[in-house]
Amino acid sequence: MRQVILDTETTGIDPKDGHRLVEIGAIEMVNRRFTGRTYHQYINPERHIDAEVVAVHGIDDARVANEPVFAKIADEFWAFIEGAELVIHNAPFDVGFIDHELGMLNQQRKTPALGPVRDHCAVLDTLTMARAMHPGQRNSLDALCKRYDIDNGHRVLHGALLDSEILAEVYLAMTGGQTALTLDAASAAEQEQADTSSEGLSIQRMTLTPGQLRVVRPTDEEQVAHKAKCEAHQLNWFKGMTSDA
């Protein structure tokens, strides 16, 4: 499964007010392993960047004055994300800006048309996922880092590529606890070799035959207690979802 962890920075809050992208950062994963492929680009938004957002991401007009406009980088960016599942925190925000940029570009050049995003990519919103998993709690990226014990101390300002890297670790922790999977295609063979020899130690894989493992089944009392706990958890989850909305 090919996934792209993605984040953007912008000139303001709403593209309907004329705000534009100023940075895109993305990381590719295949089957929950980082491939080593990334996409990172600063963009000249062709307009002023609001002071309020400069305080958040540190990207001012001077920083992007000599960067390419979106039309110059659109095809390369689209080639990187097309067909992937995009993993984004608060996806409607980022997807809205990307679609806005693609829409303006398509009006200018007519063909080939790019986008909209959801017609060509699956989109997984980790904010929606976090709200379902942790109802009634703060689910910002910083809050999730704290909850899953992920170091984000180097994150002084927001940045698209840095936030994508952090989100990738958060997503892996939320969906199975696997983090720091930094294998690229070239190192996959090295990892396989490491499985058989690490510092002189050989890892032997066991083949089990029926009857070797003892199966311990719960008692009737344990089953009743488990069912009650599950029902209580479902009730708390539902109340948390309604209050979070």
Side-chain angles (χ1 to χ4, degrees):
M1 180 181 185
R2 180 172 179 264
Q3 295 174 298
V4 172
I5 319 300
L6 184 144
D7 185 58
T8 66
E9 302 298 342
T10 67
T11 64
I13 299 299
D14 196 334
K16 294 179 181 178
D17 295 330
H19 287 293
R20 307 283 301 274
L21 293 174
V22 296
E23 186 186 13
I24 301 173
I27 300 171
E28 183 184 65
M29 286 199 309
V30 175
N31 296 329
R32 296 177 63 82
R33 293 179 182 269
F34 298 131
T35 66
R37 293 186 66 217
T38 63
Y39 179 87
H40 183 232
Q41 181 64 59
Y42 290 103
I43 302 166
N44 183 340
E46 304 178 273
R47 58 151 292 156
H48 175 65
I49 305 174
D50 287 358
E52 292 83 357
V53 294
V54 172
V56 174
H57 55 52
I59 304 170
D60 59 16
D61 295 340
R63 173 64 186 82
V64 293
N66 296 318
E67 298 293 341
V69 298
F70 183 82
K72 296 293 185 181
I73 61 94
D75 291 299
E76 182 183 4
F77 167 62
W78 186 251
F80 189 84
I81 68 169
E82 186 178 16
E85 180 182 61
L86 305 183
V87 180
I88 308 173
H89 201 66
N90 192 16
F93 177 87
D94 302 86
V95 171
F97 268 95
I98 294 170
D99 279 345
H100 178 68
E101 295 282 359
L102 293 175
M104 291 192 297
L105 175 64
N106 291 336
Q107 289 179 354
Q108 293 173 10
R109 68 183 190 182
K110 305 302 181 183
T111 185
L114 303 179
V117 169
R118 291 183 184 271
D119 285 356
H120 300 267
C121 304
V123 178
L124 190 157
D125 186 352
T126 51
L127 178 57
T128 299
M129 179 189 297
R131 284 173 173 167
M133 294 174 65
H134 310 290
Q137 302 182 53
R138 293 180 63 249
N139 289 298
S140 66
L141 192 55
D142 285 337
L144 291 172
C145 285
K146 184 176 182 180
R147 186 170 301 139
Y148 289 101
D149 196 26
I150 293 170
D151 181 16
N152 67 336
H154 52 300
R155 183 179 185 248
V156 179
L157 294 171
H158 287 255
L161 188 59
L162 174 60
D163 283 3
S164 294
E165 293 171 351
I166 294 172
L167 178 58
E169 292 193 60
V170 167
Y171 167 72
L172 290 171
M174 290 173 66
T175 57
Q178 291 176 293
T179 59
L181 298 180
T182 56
L183 294 180
D184 55 25
S187 64
E190 296 176 6
Q191 179 65 21
E192 184 175 348
Q193 182 179 1
D195 286 344
T196 59
S197 177
S198 177
E199 296 182 1
L201 298 178
S202 176
I203 299 175
Q204 297 182 352
R205 305 189 184 280
M206 298 178 62
T207 302
L208 298 177
T209 58
Q212 278 189 272
L213 292 180
R214 180 188 175 197
V215 179
V216 180
R217 303 189 182 281
T219 64
D220 292 342
E221 291 80 4
E222 289 171 336
Q223 288 181 328
V224 170
H226 177 70
K227 181 179 179 181
K229 187 173 182 179
C230 289
E231 290 175 348
H233 176 73
Q234 290 176 341
L235 179 61
N236 290 335
W237 178 86
F238 177 77
K239 289 180 179 178
M241 284 293 292
T242 54
S243 64
D244 194 41

